[in-house]
Amino acid sequence: MTEAAALPGQPRGGVLSGSATARTVNVLAPNASAMTLDGTNTWIVAEPDSRLAVVIDPGPLDETHLRAVVETAERAGKRVALTLLTHGHPDHAEGAARFAELTRTPVRALDPRLRLGDEGLAAGDVVTTGGLELRVVPTPGHTADSLSFHLPADRAVLTGDTVLGRGTTVVAHPDGRLGDYLDSLRRLRSLTVDDGVHTVLPGHGPVLEDAQGAVEFYLAHRAHRLAQVETAVEDGHRTPSEVVAHVYADVDRSLWPAAELSVRAQMDYLREHGLI
C-alpha cells in the first residue's frame, strides 16, 4: 500500500498509537508489513462528554485486536454505536462483520457490499452519532470506494489510505485511477486552505500535524513520478515492468509488484491526456 521512499521534505509524523486529538484515539492493529507500515490504524472517535463512539476501520479479522478496540472505548466510558469504513481493502474492512457482532452496530460504507444495515455513505453526508460531527468527503483514487472523514471540531481529517503518515500511497490499476486520486488530493488541500484542517489522521503510520504540507508533498510526489514515467516511456521503456525496473531501481524489489500496478495507473493517465 505504500510506494517508494519519500522525497525530501515530507512532513514528519507524531502520534502513532493512543490519543491523537481531543476526540480521537488510535488502536493499532497487529498487522505490520511493508505494505501496511506499522499496522492498520483503527480510530475511535467521540465527543469528550458523550457516551457514544464511532469506530473507523476495524481492521483485519483479528479477534484480539477487535476486542481491544471495544475495551479501549469502554475504558473511556463509551459504547461503540457505529462503524464506518474508509474503503474495502481487507486490512481496513475484513474485521468489520465480526466487529459488528461484538458491538451490535451497523457498518456504513460507500460500497453496498460492505454495509451492514440500511444506511450507506455518500458525498456530503454528515454523521452525528453522540453529538459528533463527521463530514463524508469522497476521495477516490487509491480505490474507487475511498472516503475520508472531516472532523471539524478537531480541525482534522481521517484519510484512510489516501494520505499516509509515512511514505506514499499506491494507486493500483485497475481499481485505482490516478486522475481521481489527484482530484482527491486537491479536495483535501481545499480542506486545509478553506476549512482550517491541520491534522491528518491516516489509515497507516503516524499522525501528521501539517496537513497542508502533507498534501502538497503528495501532489509534488505524483508530479515527480509522472514525469519519471513519461521520460522512461520516451526513452523506450514501453511495458510497465520495464518502467518499474528503470524508475524504481532504488526501491526494494519486494515492492515492485505493487509499483507495477501503480505504473499501470500512471501510464493510463498519461495516455488519457495524450502525453505518451
Side-chain angles (χ1 to χ4, degrees), residues 204-218:
H204 300 276
V207 171
L208 296 174
E209 301 294 347
D210 178 11
Q212 185 172 349
V215 176
E216 295 288 358
F217 165 78
Y218 264 58

Side-chain angles (χ1 to χ4, degrees), residues 27 30 60-71 102:
V27 182
L61 184 55
D62 182 293
E63 188 76 10
T64 300
H65 171 65
L66 299 177
R67 291 186 179 276
V69 175
V70 175
E71 291 165 4
L102 291 172

Side-chain angles (χ1 to χ4, degrees), residues 74-276:
E74 290 177 344
R75 283 197 300 271
K78 301 183 186 302
R79 175 178 65 82
V80 177
L82 178 63
T83 302
L84 305 177
L85 297 177
T86 61
H87 66 296
H89 279 171
D91 55 316
H92 293 258
E94 183 186 42
R98 175 57 181 151
F99 190 71
E101 291 178 353
L102 291 172
T103 58
R104 298 181 180 178
T105 61
V107 176
R108 296 180 63 182
L110 179 61
D111 187 341
R113 296 171 296 180
L114 301 171
R115 301 171 187 169
L116 292 173
D118 297 330
E119 287 190 282
L121 290 171
D125 284 351
V126 180
V127 176
T128 56
T129 301
L132 186 71
E133 181 181 324
L134 281 170
R135 301 175 184 173
V136 178
V137 182
T139 48
H142 172 67
T143 62
D145 68 328
S146 287
L147 298 171
S148 295
F149 298 98
H150 177 200
L151 178 57
D154 283 352
R155 298 173 64 192
V157 60
L158 297 105
T159 54
D161 282 355
T162 300
V163 175
L164 305 176
R166 186 171 68 252
T168 56
T169 298
V170 167
V171 178
H173 175 89
D175 189 36
R177 292 184 56 82
L178 186 55
D180 291 343
Y181 185 68
L182 293 173
D183 287 342
S184 293
L185 290 178
R186 296 181 188 110
R187 192 170 296 120
L188 291 175
R189 182 172 58 186
S190 292
L191 288 181
T192 70
V193 173
D194 300 331
D195 295 277
V197 166
H198 62 62
T199 302
V200 173
L201 306 173
H204 300 276
V207 171
L208 296 174
E209 301 294 347
D210 178 11
Q212 185 172 349
V215 176
E216 295 288 358
F217 165 78
Y218 264 58
L219 286 164
H221 172 82
R222 284 295 160 194
H224 177 70
R225 279 295 192 221
L226 273 172
Q228 287 181 309
V229 171
E230 183 178 359
T231 299
V233 173
E234 290 172 349
D235 289 345
H237 304 281
R238 299 298 183 185
T239 68
S241 60
E242 289 173 351
V243 172
V244 168
H246 180 72
V247 173
Y248 292 79
D250 60 341
V251 175
D252 188 328
R253 284 180 175 246
S254 68
L255 297 177
W256 279 20
E260 183 170 333
L261 294 175
S262 181
V263 165
R264 287 179 182 273
Q266 291 174 80
M267 291 176 74
D268 284 349
Y269 177 87
L270 291 169
R271 288 192 193 98
E272 289 167 5
H273 290 79
L275 298 173
I276 59 173

Side-chain angles (χ1 to χ4, degrees), residues 15-21 24-28 41-44 72 207:
V15 174
L16 184 62
S17 188
S19 179
T21 68
T24 62
V25 174
N26 178 30
V27 182
L28 184 64
N41 294 334
T42 295
W43 291 101
I44 301 171
T72 300
V207 171

